[in-house]
């Protein structure tokens, strides 16, 4: 990584990394979800078998968040965040059974990339669906991500600060009573341009699919 021995003038050019890193850590405090306070309650209709659809639905609810730093394949990490330590860094959580987040970030040459993967376990499918709806409404302008979990949404935004572009993609997935949020962003400090929308969006979706697969392969209630 060249930034360890860059001349003073070049170091000044890539100083926005500090700003981006600070913003990234703010993101890693966990997905902006609304705490689940309601518990799904549906009375069983007369004659309904307890081993029918209601039992199958209950079995889909997840008991705990999986280890986030092990949810993304090494090859994917090397592709999305070149130069980052693939072990990642898990962000402290007040309750790791309910919410866990892992971050990877690196500056390779002039290219900076940041990836966050967060899991949140809510009390019920209904609580997760409510939070998912609120979160996707707040981040308007995106589109659906089909074939992942029960519902998926992706949005990409471009920001510019001091003529430096940063493009960020956020993918939110609801899978039963679990919420998976992936944040992926990048900048080029030589050209001051950001990666393309397609690159960021596809990268975020790929990470989200792997994260959901890790969730599904873990322990369920």
């Amino acid at each position: 990584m060249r930034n360890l021995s860059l001349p003073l003038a070049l170091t000044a050019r890539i100083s926005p990394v500090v700003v981006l890193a600070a913003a990234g850590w703010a993101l890693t405090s966990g997905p902006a979800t609304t705490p689940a306070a309601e518990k799904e309650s549906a009375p069983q209709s007369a004659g309904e078998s307890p081993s029918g659809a209601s039992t199958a639905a209950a079995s889909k609810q997840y008991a705990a968040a999986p280890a986030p730093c092990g949810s993304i394949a090494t090859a994917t990490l090397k592709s999305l965040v070149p130069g980052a330590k693939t072990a990642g860094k898990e962000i402290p959580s007040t309750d790791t059974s309910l919410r866990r987040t892992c971050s990877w970030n690196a500056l390779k040459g002039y290219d900076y990339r940041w990836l966050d993967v967060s899991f949140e376990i809510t009390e019920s499918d209904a609580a997760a669906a409510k939070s998912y709806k609120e979160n996707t409404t707040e981040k308007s302008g995106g589109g659906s991500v089909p074939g992942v979990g029960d519902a998926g949404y992706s949005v990409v935004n471009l920001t510019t600060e001091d003529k430096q572009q940063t493009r960020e993609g956020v993918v939110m997935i609801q899978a039963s009573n679990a919420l998976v949020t992936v944040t992926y962003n990048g900048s080029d400090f030589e050209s001051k341009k950001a990666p393309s929308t397609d690159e960021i969006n596809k990268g975020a979706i790929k990470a989200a699919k792997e994260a959901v697969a890790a969730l599904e392969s873990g322990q369920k209630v």
Side-chain angles (χ1 to χ4, degrees), residues 29 84 105 111 118 140 163-164:
S29 60
N105 65 91
D111 290 327
S118 296
S140 61
K163 298 182 179 181
Q164 173 64 60

Side-chain angles (χ1 to χ4, degrees), residues 177-195:
N177 66 311
L179 296 168
V180 180
T181 303
V182 169
T183 303
Y184 181 49
N185 62 49
S187 299
D188 184 322
F189 291 113
E190 182 173 34
S191 67
K192 290 189 173 292
K193 300 295 184 182

Side-chain angles (χ1 to χ4, degrees), residues 127-145:
K130 180 175 182 292
S131 291
Y132 173 84
K133 182 177 180 180
E134 291 173 351
N135 296 336
T136 55
T137 299
E138 289 177 1
K139 293 184 177 294
S140 61
S144 63
V145 179

Side-chain angles (χ1 to χ4, degrees), residues 38-108:
E38 298 180 356
K39 192 168 185 178
E40 188 177 24
S41 176
Q44 183 175 315
S45 60
E48 181 180 351
S49 170
S51 60
S54 60
T55 301
S59 69
K60 292 181 181 179
Q61 296 185 1
Y62 297 97
C69 293
S71 64
I72 308 298
T74 298
T76 300
L77 291 171
K78 289 182 177 179
S79 172
L80 297 183
V81 195
K85 294 181 179 180
T86 55
K89 180 177 177 61
E90 184 161 358
I91 308 306
S93 172
T94 55
D95 190 342
T96 54
S97 67
L98 298 180
R99 176 179 291 180
R100 298 181 73 174
T101 300
C102 189
S103 290
W104 298 263
N105 65 91
L107 175 67
K108 187 172 184 180

